[in-house]
Amino acid sequence: MIEDVKSVLNTIRNNSITEFKIIFDQTKIKAEKMDVEIRIPRITNIQQHRANTKHNDPAEYYRINIFLTYLDYLISVLNLRFIKNNNVIISNLRKIIPKYYFEYDTPDEEIFYAPQKYEADLPYSIEILRGELCL
């Protein structure tokens, strides 16, 4: 599940020119309806706190300074947040949902690995969960 999201974001990143063009064209239409001009902010020679690439085209400026920067940030956060070990936990959490419980041929101990890891956050004990799943 997380790998799918990261794959989609990487695909968007790799096709950023066409993906951003779609977003920018929609934004341009809305800006014209509201009589707002899309322009590049003032650029200084020395910039320390944000990206400062020089472009004459607003679409290119916002694609590089906002769109790509945010995509890179989002992909890196997902990579940090959902490391391989956590992906196993997340996939095991799905197995607890009653709709999917009988679809998997998984030993119960694998299913309970995630709830045991997050037991302090649960409003009830693991034994209650075991009892629910046995019903």
Side-chain angles (χ1 to χ4, degrees), residues 40-63:
I40 299 170
R42 184 176 63 90
I43 297 175
T44 62
N45 289 332
I46 301 171
Q47 183 61 260
Q48 295 178 357
H49 301 291
R50 65 181 165 99
N52 196 30
T53 59
K54 296 180 181 181
H55 293 282
N56 293 331
D57 180 29
E60 191 66 15
Y61 174 85
Y62 287 110
R63 183 181 72 81

Side-chain angles (χ1 to χ4, degrees), residues 88-97 110-111 114-115 118:
V88 172
I89 294 171
I90 290 169
S91 65
N92 284 335
L93 278 174
R94 179 186 166 137
K95 297 172 186 176
I96 294 174
I97 300 171
E110 279 186 34
I111 292 174
Y118 298 109

Side-chain angles (χ1 to χ4, degrees), residues 94-111:
R94 179 186 166 137
K95 297 172 186 176
I96 294 174
I97 300 171
K99 178 180 176 181
Y100 304 110
Y101 182 71
F102 294 106
E103 288 182 14
Y104 298 101
D105 230 5
T106 307
D108 283 346
E109 290 312 310
E110 279 186 34
I111 292 174

Side-chain angles (χ1 to χ4, degrees), residues 20-32 38:
F20 185 74
K21 184 175 179 355
I22 294 167
I23 296 169
F24 191 78
D25 289 345
Q26 292 172 353
T27 304
K28 202 171 175 181
I29 291 168
K30 290 180 183 179
E32 287 171 357
I38 298 176

